[in-house]
């Protein structure tokens, strides 16, 4: 006996399999899967996903204008703390107090929303540069920026994107388009 519609099931398109955080392929052993999106203009908040856990998003109600930062244990991938820092009207000292005392191997996920740079000073830029950023020195008003760095890195991070705010190339009136970045970050080995 044949069921109606059964003959079409063989030719149906296979559904694309999605992996942690919606990545198109799985990460290797001892790597953490991540996906992040900067905010879009001043309307759609940023998102930071790690190992299929949403660390920051508008739905979680833990994002805000400025820099959205999630600190993660580089060995086990656990969230240490997530906070938003208003870089337009906020106090840069709050951000400095947050990132100065980081422990070696702490992963730092950063997604901009609206304005990431107005309140940035030389110390802030140096701290992000020490975490592996190559673009923080050029970050300006209403730029889009996503970055993953770590305390104690020797080289610049491969996980960084930056788009300048330019009236000639902006996708939204007054803002560049949102940036998306995904990948696999090696876990930090435990001290033996």
């Amino acid at each position: 006996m044949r069921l109606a519609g059964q003959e079409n099931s063989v030719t149906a398109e296979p559904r694309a399999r999605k992996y942690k955080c919606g990545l198109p392929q799985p990460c290797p052993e001892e790597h953490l899967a991540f996906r992040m999106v900067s905010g879009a203009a001043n309307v759609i908040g940023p998102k930071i996903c790690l190992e299929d856990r949403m660390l920051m998003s508008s739905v979680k109600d833990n994002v805000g204008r400025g820099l959205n930062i999630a600190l993660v244990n580089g060995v086990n991938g656990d969230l240490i703390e997530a906070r938003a820092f208003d870089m337009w009207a906020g106090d840069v000292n709050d951000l400095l107090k947050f990132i100065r005392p980081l422990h070696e191997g702490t992963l730092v996920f950063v997604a901009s929303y609206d304005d990431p740079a107005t309140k940035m000073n030389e110390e802030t830029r140096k701290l992000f540069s020490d975490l592996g950023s190559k673009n923080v020195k050029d970050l300006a008003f209403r730029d889009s920026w996503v970055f993953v760095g770590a305390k104690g890195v020797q080289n610049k991070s491969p996980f960084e994107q930056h788009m300048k705010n330019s009236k000639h190339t902006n996708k939204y009136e007054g803002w560049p388009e949102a940036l998306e970045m995904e990948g696999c970050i090696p876990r930090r080995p435990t001290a033996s």
Side-chain angles (χ1 to χ4, degrees), residues 61-83:
D61 197 25
N62 66 349
V63 296
R65 173 174 72 184
L67 296 177
N68 294 273
I69 302 176
L71 303 180
V72 172
N73 179 313
V75 175
N76 61 19
D78 288 346
L79 178 66
I80 298 167
E81 190 173 356
R83 283 190 51 198

Side-chain angles (χ1 to χ4, degrees), residues 143-164:
D143 286 359
S144 288
W145 184 46
V146 287
F147 165 68
V148 182
K151 177 76 174 191
V153 294
Q154 301 306 312
N155 304 308
K156 293 300 175 191
S157 172
F159 302 113
E160 183 173 33
Q161 292 181 24
H162 175 219
M163 184 166 292
K164 296 297 283 175

Side-chain angles (χ1 to χ4, degrees), residues 102-106 130-132 149-155 188:
L102 296 180
H103 294 289
E104 194 85 5
T106 300
D130 291 348
L131 294 170
K151 177 76 174 191
V153 294
Q154 301 306 312
N155 304 308
R188 183 169 186 195

Side-chain angles (χ1 to χ4, degrees), residues 2-191:
R2 225 180 147 122
L3 299 173
Q6 192 177 21
E7 61 275 5
N8 295 338
S9 65
V10 176
T11 58
E13 286 292 308
R15 286 189 35 212
R17 179 150 183 227
K18 292 287 184 187
Y19 297 91
K20 290 179 181 173
C21 293
L23 267 60
Q25 69 269 337
C27 287
E29 282 288 312
E30 298 306 312
H31 283 66
L32 302 168
F34 79 92
R35 181 170 187 273
M36 54 199 303
V37 185
S38 69
N42 61 349
V43 181
I44 301 168
K47 293 182 187 128
I48 301 174
C49 175
L50 181 72
E51 287 292 290
D52 253 0
R53 293 184 323 271
M54 194 59 70
L55 304 182
M56 299 188 82
S57 71
S58 296
V59 172
K60 288 184 73 82
D61 197 25
N62 66 349
V63 296
R65 173 174 72 184
L67 296 177
N68 294 273
I69 302 176
L71 303 180
V72 172
N73 179 313
V75 175
N76 61 19
D78 288 346
L79 178 66
I80 298 167
E81 190 173 356
R83 283 190 51 198
F85 296 90
D86 187 338
M87 299 305 284
W88 170 255
D91 184 349
V92 73
N93 288 308
D94 293 339
L95 172 60
L96 290 169
K97 287 177 200 156
F98 189 67
I99 58 175
R100 271 186 199 129
L102 296 180
H103 294 289
E104 194 85 5
T106 300
L107 296 173
V108 181
F109 292 78
V110 184
S112 67
Y113 183 26
D114 187 3
D115 177 24
T118 296
K119 294 281 181 150
M120 266 201 189
N121 59 21
E122 276 310 304
E123 183 182 0
T124 315
R125 291 178 192 275
K126 182 178 182 336
L127 284 167
F128 280 113
S129 182
D130 291 348
L131 294 170
S133 172
K134 50 191 167 299
N135 297 121
V136 71
K137 65 186 183 311
D138 301 317
L139 205 58
F141 176 68
R142 288 190 177 168
D143 286 359
S144 288
W145 184 46
V146 287
F147 165 68
V148 182
K151 177 76 174 191
V153 294
Q154 301 306 312
N155 304 308
K156 293 300 175 191
S157 172
F159 302 113
E160 183 173 33
Q161 292 181 24
H162 175 219
M163 184 166 292
K164 296 297 283 175
N165 169 19
S166 161
K167 66 180 180 183
H168 304 294
T169 58
N170 282 350
K171 181 172 182 178
Y172 309 107
E173 193 171 321
W175 287 271
E177 66 183 296
L179 294 172
E180 289 189 44
M181 186 169 63
E182 61 187 30
C184 304
I185 300 169
R187 287 182 192 264
R188 183 169 186 195
T190 52

